[in-house]
Every structure is written in structure tokens, then in C-alpha cells.
Amino acid sequence: MSLTLRPYQHQAISELRASYREGARAPLLVLPTGAGKTVVFSAVSAGAAARGRHVLILVHRRELITQASAKLAGAGVDHGIIAAGFPASDQPVQVASVQTLARRLSSISWSPDLIVIDEAHHAVAGTWSAALSRWPNAYRLGVTATPVRQDGRGLGAVFDSLVLGPSVSELIAGTFLTPARIYAPPPIADLAGLKARAGDYRPEEAAERMDRPIVTGDAISHYQRLCNHKRAIVFCCSTQHADSVNTAFNQRGVRAATLLGTTPADQRDHLVRQLAAGELSVLVTVDVVSEGFDCPAAEAAILLRPTQSLGLYLQQVGRVLRPADGKDAALILDHVGNVHRHGFPDDLRDWSLDDRLKRSRNAGPPAPCVRTCEVCFAAFAPAPICPCCGTPAKLSAREIRQRDGELQELARDAVARSRRRDVGRARTLAELLMVAKNRGYSPGWAYRIHNARSNRR
Ligand SMILES: [Zn+2]
């Protein structure tokens, strides 16, 4: 086997094994974008195949088949592919496009012992459940960077336990990911009142607000000021929006191209190579590069699509966190308030298999604590000075309360409580007059309380 695993990938695999030993049948492994989940599930599949098991690996996009297939080949695992244009074969490991598999279900005569589900946050959709319910007794292994559905519902219907890999901040500390500098200039677009459908803003409505020359022009100015000539990926709301943004970049002398769902595979590869080589500075996309897109050379993400989906946000910014030579930090230019909505890419997340929607309806999601520097627009966690330009930060009243801490709050509470107690203990007018004297209140205060109590009796 020639797959080289990183220490945390070994660790994840041994934790998965432990969870199966403890009785899990369908664990969901959470690995941040860029942590190499394809390598991990390829190694698991290789191990299962070596013990004579049948493994079915489900992916939901064609380009993910190529990735998985290449990693399996690297691990020396002979495998077949179930996708349009590939002949059926009988190897014990099969990589399947979920759409093709759903169409061919009735013609498949073998049963997998293990079903691996890549990008497992999609696994509750109709095509997936058809494939999964065909083999209810197979063990499952889900892998995802964001174990929530786009609509916020949990994945507890498909998986029975969570195995958490390293966090983004641990991967940054280990130099497996690049730290990010985030700029969040006040959005020029009017995003108030955007409506959501299935847990996210309606793309056409978001596009209408974002696809305006003044908004695009502002984003390009910030790009030229903050990261001119750096390789960037721009995330737009719609194909038409991407076309306008692409045109505007080129008109301003920045070499840009669009990379869309309809872009043929060979042209995609060509564009990615051009970006890596510096022949292009900017790739403009909608969501084709959100998942399964590898371009470590990309140094900046420009966010022009407001999203309520934490998963989509993390997938997008995750594209530029991959380390590469000469890249000391990734830049994220957020023009749509996503950082304020979802927090920093390396914030610790409290993942769960439960429906987040239910929880957030009651409690509301915790608002991330993000400050924006008034001078350079850097977004940072509350700190006395801007970490980018050193400007002293003006703290909001809420942040001052948070910074000076619970202690002061508690102290105030304790004083208030003890005061209520000594007023409560003062039974007679004479005792109330004594409390008033001790606190420097007027005698009238004692009379008012005494009268109020007499009236109540
Ligand atoms: Zn600053």
C-alpha cells in the first residue's frame, strides 16, 4: 500500500475502528475541508478489501469519482466504477456516482459489507436513501466537513454516532492548513429582508441584490487594494452574476475566467492549472468549487454570495486554506456578512446529529463574536487592537461586558441580592430607616416601602 497517512488521519481511523467495536454501525467522521477525507476513506476501504469485504463508495459528483479512484489506485486497491460511461465490473470495491447507482440498483447482484458515503451531509436526499435502503444491513461510514444539511436538519436518520477528527485550528497549528486573514468591509449591497428557502437565501433574490456594478466595483477595489495579483476564487449567487463579475474583473485589467457547473471537465482542469501557474488571477464561480475542488494555489476567497448555510460557507473558505509554497496566510474578503453570520473558519463547532433547525428555533444560534476594524476592515475576534493594522478597537457595550467578564456581573448580582436581603429583613419602620441611613437614602424611601407593605397587608 502506498497511501501515506498523516498522524491525525491514522488517529481518525483508529477512532472509527473503536466506534465500530463499541457497537456503532454507521459512524459519521467529521474532517475539516482540506484534511484529506478521501485519503482516510480510501485507507479504510483498502483495509476492508484486504479482509475480503465488499465496499461501495458513494459520491455525488463526477469529479469526486475521479478523486476517489485516484486515491484508491494510490493505495493499490483494485476497484470498479459505477458511473455513466464506465463498464460494469466485479471488483470488491466499487466507486459509484449516486445518481447512476440509483438507476442501476435493480441490476446489482452483490451486496456491500461497507457503504462509504462521501460528502455525507447530502445523505438524506432521495437518491441516497434509495441506495442506502437497498442494503440495510451493510455497515456505513459517512465522511463530511460539515455534518449538517443545507436546511439545518441533522443526519441522525442515516448515522448513529459522530467521530470528530481534528479541528480547523488544530490543523492550522500543525501547518496542515493555512491561517486566514479576514476582511469584512461593510457590505455595499442591500441585504436586508432577503428571504430564505430550504434554509438558505433564494439565489435569484440574492443575485438581484448582489449583481450590481457598484457592488462588484467595490469588491474589485478591495481585491486590488488588499490582495492585488493574488490568486483568488470569487463565489457568486448565480451564473449570470458570475458572468457580470468576470466581465468586470477583466475590464479592470485583472485576468479572470468563470468556472461553472456547465464547464467541461478538461476545461476546468485547464483553468485550475492556469490559476496555479499565475496565468489567471481570478476564477469566478457559483458553487462548482465548493466541494471536491483542489487548487491549493488559490490564496484568496472573495465572498459575493450571502448564505445562511454554515456548510456552504465553510466549504467555500476551506478552498483557500490549503497550504502551498509561498502562501503564509489565506485571505478572505467577505462582502456579504457571512463571517458575522457564521463566525471564523477556525471557530470550534459544536457538531451534533440532531436537527439544528429545531434547536435554533427555540434558542437561536449563538451570534459569533466578530469585530471589524474601522480602518482596514479586518475581521477579528474581540481584542484591544486590530491584529492587522494595530488600530485600537472600540468595543461595543456587549463586548465590554463579555471582556470584563462574568465576574463583574456576578459581583453586581451579589450586591443586589444582599441589598434585597437586608431590605427584606428590615421588618419595622425603624429598621427600614436604619437601612436607608446606611445606604445614604432619604428617610422618604423607608416611609414609601413601609407604606407599600402596609397597603399590601
Ligand atoms: Zn485594522
Side-chain angles (χ1 to χ4, degrees), residues 183 372-380 385-392:
Y183 293 91
T372 307
C373 174
E374 293 174 340
V375 174
C376 75
F377 301 132
F380 54 94
I385 59 164
C386 167
C388 289
C389 73
T391 303

Side-chain angles (χ1 to χ4, degrees), residues 17 38 54 64-65 71 73 98 117 130 169-170 174 183 206 245 260 262 302 316 370 377 427 453 455:
R17 288 207 186 104
T38 313
H54 279 88
L64 298 177
I65 290 191
K71 291 287 181 338
V98 72
I117 302 153
S169 52
E170 284 168 330
Y183 293 91
V245 169
L260 302 167
T262 48
I302 302 176
Q316 291 183 344
V370 177
F377 301 132
R427 301 268 164 208
R453 285 178 180 175
N455 291 342

Side-chain angles (χ1 to χ4, degrees), residues 140-314:
R140 291 176 187 170
L141 163 59
V143 280
T144 181
T146 50
V148 279
R149 290 168 45 159
Q150 173 123 333
D151 61 8
R153 286 168 65 188
L155 293 164
V158 184
F159 300 101
D160 60 11
S161 54
L162 270 184
V163 174
L164 297 176
S167 63
V168 172
S169 52
E170 284 168 330
L171 292 173
I172 291 173
T175 68
F176 298 110
L177 291 178
T178 308
R181 280 215 304 275
I182 299 172
Y183 293 91
I188 291 249
D190 172 21
L191 298 173
L194 270 185
K195 287 191 198 66
R197 180 183 56 200
D200 204 358
Y201 299 122
R202 296 163 187 259
E204 62 279 15
E205 207 179 309
E208 194 196 306
R209 313 280 184 100
M210 293 302 300
D211 192 1
R212 296 174 187 222
I214 184 167
V215 176
T216 307
D218 179 62
I220 297 175
S221 298
H222 280 105
Y223 166 78
Q224 290 182 317
R225 189 173 62 80
L226 291 165
C227 49
N228 206 10
H229 307 305
K230 284 202 192 290
R231 302 174 186 94
I233 302 175
V234 187
F235 293 94
C236 296
C237 307
S238 69
T239 304
Q240 201 186 339
H241 182 206
D243 284 337
S244 327
V245 169
N246 179 43
T247 306
F249 265 103
N250 281 294
Q251 280 170 351
R252 296 266 292 258
V254 180
R255 283 160 306 168
T258 54
L259 193 151
L260 302 167
T262 48
T263 309
D266 52 344
Q267 201 184 330
R268 278 187 204 182
D269 295 345
H270 178 65
L271 290 172
V272 169
R273 277 198 302 274
Q274 279 192 301
L275 187 78
E279 292 157 21
L280 275 176
S281 295
V282 171
L283 279 182
V284 186
T285 186
V286 180
D287 56 9
V288 71
V289 295
S290 300
E291 284 173 3
F293 166 89
D294 245 343
C295 185
E299 300 158 285
I302 302 176
L303 310 184
L304 297 183
R305 172 178 175 183
T307 180
Q308 289 189 328
S309 162
L310 170 64
L312 181 61
Y313 163 69
L314 290 177

Side-chain angles (χ1 to χ4, degrees), residues 66-128:
T66 328
Q67 261 186 37
S69 176
K71 291 287 181 338
L72 285 167
V77 180
D78 190 20
H79 60 279
I81 291 176
I82 301 174
F86 290 89
S89 64
D90 60 358
Q91 283 98 334
V93 176
Q94 296 281 331
V95 185
S97 130
V98 72
Q99 286 84 5
T100 311
L101 182 77
R103 282 196 299 273
R104 293 188 194 165
L105 269 186
S106 56
S107 67
I108 292 175
S109 53
W110 54 281
S111 312
D113 302 292
L114 171 68
I115 302 180
V116 174
I117 302 153
D118 190 16
E119 303 291 354
H121 47 281
H122 297 290
V124 257
T127 32
W128 295 84

